[in-house]
Structures are given as C-alpha cells and as structure tokens.
Amino acid sequence: MKINKVGILGMGAIGGLLAAQIYDYNPQSVYILGEQKRIKRYQDEGWITVNGKDYDFTGLSPEASQTLDLIILSVKYHHLEKAIPLMKPFMNENTIIISLMNGIDTENEIGAVYGMEKLLYSFIVEISAVKKGKKITANKGKIVFNSLIPNDKKVTALSEFFNRTQIIYEIADDIMKEIWWKFMINVGVNQVSAVLDAPYGKCQKIDEIRELMDGAMKEVIALSKLEGANLTREDLMRWYPILDALNPDGMTSMLQDMRGKRKTEVEMFAGVVSRLGKKHKLPTPVNDILYQLIKAKEEIIANQTLID
C-alpha cells in the first residue's frame, strides 16, 4: 500500500495549506475535489495563494474517472452531509480517508457510509491558518493520527507519505483521547474567541478569557470520563503552551467565520457538549450559554446581511 494520488475536499485555510504542501512535493500528486461548477469557478478565477506563493491546482469533479489513494476531508461541519457522497467516485478498495474536521463524530458519520476500516482517526494542531479571499497565511502545524486496528498498514502508508512530502505528523498512542483533547481545545478557544471577537493575542493575555475557556473545557473533561476518553486537568494545561506559541494576530476558524459573516460550527462544539450533557444528566452551563450567544450572533449577522 503506497500513497501517490491525493484528493483534498474542502479548500479553506487547512485544506489549502495541505494542498500547497503536497503540490510543492509533486504537482501531479494532489487534486482538488469538488462539484463541477466549483472546479470551473476555480479554473476561471484562479486558485489560491499560500504564504505568498500562487498555486495552479488540478481540479476533479465526480464526473472524472480517477481513483485516489488518499482523500483528506477538510470541510465545514454543515457541509459534511453533502461532502460524503461526493467522495465515492474517487474511491477504490484501498483508498484511505482522513478527516481534519473539528469535532468527535465526523469519522463515525463517514464510516457509516464507507466503513470504519477506510478511515484513520486524525486532527491537526499547533496551527495558525488564516484565509482572506484567496490568500492563505499559515504555519505548517502538525497532523496527529492513528488507527484503532492493531498493526494497520494504513498508518505505515500515511506516515511514509508524510515523510516524503515533509508534512509534520505524530502517531498518537491513544488516538481517541487525543481526538477528545482537540475537541476540548476547540470547545474552549474557538467558541470564546468567536463570542468575544478575540484573536489569539487576546486569548493569550486576558485572564478572564482564559477563565471562560477553562469553564467550557472542564465540561468536556467531565463528559470525556463518562464517554471513556478520560481527559484530565493535565490535558487542559498542556494546551496553554501551544496557545501561547501561536501568532497573536492569528484567529480561530470560528472567529474567521463570524467575521466573514458565515455560518459557524457551533453545533459541532457546544451543540455536541449539550447533547452529551443531557445524555449523561450532567449540567453544561458554560457551553449552553456559549451556544445561545453564538446562535444569536449568527442570527444578527443573517438579518444584517438581508438588510444590507
């Protein structure tokens, strides 16, 4: 099993960054996946610029008869339902899927359609990536992944590919705990930054912001113990050195969505925390309030857009 041809589905900051990294290794190794009209728009209007370098990718729509060795999914949560069937024409029995989407349930949704054996659990961390129009500014970040299958050949194939393309990665011993850890981070920093319009610099310096993030993340820790992931206070604390190392001018994806007047992924964060809280009869007041605040801000933005 060897990875040579890769498809990227979702050209936000993360998807665009990875597409550029693979393109720099070999332009013939990476394809941008999308509906025909979207691919045509990219071809007509130009692709993206990553860290000052222009890229001219090859696009593939489902009508193209091309199967791929790896598909990297990096769409917004509310686009997942539409994205899942779009992958099918590009897959064969050996195609590997990784999702770099936020949250703790996207792999299950993909696996319900294609089988969990097609997937590796994964996420990206230590990343500050901002997309404005067609321009992406980002550091490399680190992809953390592994399989629940012992001695899975997919893990070897992906690590070998990342070595060739110089993509930074880590194979986690307990990938499900690490998935929950990333979820905890997003529940804290993504949501609080969106509510308070706070780039990373403010999250690094203002004590009240950290206290609010802590409150949201502690609710995830409590739920993780009931769900078998068993996060601890130490897991919360290992997030802060990462936060403090990020570009102060950088922004979370949810803050970028809020400023761009786009729908956020609050259902994936506070929505899931509240649902799990009800399941376990565990109060989640901080995330309940964050959910209401973010939904209210979305409604205000939607009404302003209609008026404008």
Side-chain angles (χ1 to χ4, degrees), residues 24-267:
D24 288 341
Y25 159 71
N26 181 359
Q28 281 73 51
S29 285
V30 62
Y31 302 87
I32 308 305
L33 310 182
E35 295 177 325
Q36 199 168 43
K37 60 182 179 181
R38 180 180 292 272
I39 296 299
K40 187 177 187 307
R41 186 167 71 248
Y42 275 123
Q43 291 170 337
D44 292 344
E45 299 176 4
W47 290 90
I48 57 171
T49 300
V50 180
N51 294 330
K53 180 178 177 179
D54 294 328
Y55 287 86
D56 185 17
F57 297 111
T58 300
L60 286 180
S61 63
E63 292 78 10
S65 56
Q66 176 76 268
T67 58
L68 303 168
D69 304 313
L70 171 67
I71 296 176
I72 300 174
L73 192 62
S74 184
V75 299
K76 292 295 184 182
Y77 183 65
H78 44 276
H79 294 151
L80 179 60
E81 185 178 357
K82 191 174 183 180
I84 289 174
L86 196 150
M87 294 189 287
K88 187 175 182 179
F90 307 109
M91 295 176 60
N92 60 33
E93 65 275 11
N94 294 316
T95 302
I96 301 168
I97 304 170
I98 64 170
S99 169
L100 297 181
M101 296 171 59
N102 295 315
I104 53 174
D105 56 357
T106 58
E107 281 89 357
N108 290 333
E109 294 185 43
I110 300 165
V113 177
Y114 296 117
M116 295 303 294
E117 70 278 0
K118 304 289 291 182
L119 286 149
L120 291 173
Y121 287 88
S122 61
F123 62 91
I124 191 164
V125 72
E126 299 177 23
I127 181 83
S128 175
V130 176
K131 185 177 183 183
K132 294 182 179 180
K134 294 181 181 298
K135 295 183 178 181
I136 295 172
T137 304
N139 64 325
K140 283 192 171 186
K142 177 174 68 177
I143 295 178
V144 181
F145 70 94
N146 209 338
S147 172
L148 300 182
I149 303 170
N151 303 313
D152 194 339
K153 293 180 180 178
K154 297 192 297 296
V155 173
T156 302
L158 188 60
S159 58
E160 191 275 336
F161 177 72
F162 284 166
N163 284 333
R164 279 189 280 137
T165 53
Q166 298 184 10
I167 291 173
I168 300 170
Y169 71 92
E170 177 184 328
I171 301 173
D173 291 333
D174 187 347
I175 187 60
M176 292 312 299
K177 180 176 182 178
E178 294 304 304
I179 291 281
W180 268 82
W181 178 71
K182 178 64 186 296
F183 176 63
M184 176 193 71
I185 291 170
N186 282 318
V187 164
V189 70
N190 250 298
Q191 296 188 126
V192 173
S193 69
V195 166
L196 298 178
D197 194 48
Y200 288 129
K202 292 182 180 179
C203 296
Q204 292 162 348
K205 293 180 180 178
I206 299 176
D207 290 340
E208 288 78 5
I209 292 180
R210 291 202 178 211
E211 290 171 8
L212 188 53
M213 288 190 294
D214 275 1
M217 291 190 289
K218 286 176 182 176
E219 292 177 357
V220 176
I221 291 173
L223 288 168
S224 76
K225 298 180 188 303
L226 299 172
E227 289 283 317
N230 298 312
L231 293 173
T232 67
R233 172 72 179 176
E234 287 70 30
D235 292 308
L236 186 152
M237 296 310 297
R238 69 183 167 104
W239 151 240
Y240 281 110
I242 297 171
L243 171 64
D244 291 338
L246 293 173
N247 181 351
D249 296 325
M251 294 180 283
T252 65
S253 59
M254 188 175 277
L255 176 53
Q256 292 180 60
D257 287 339
M258 196 70 78
R259 287 189 176 184
K261 300 182 178 180
R262 298 184 295 268
K263 186 178 176 66
T264 74
E265 293 182 315
V266 68
E267 298 292 347

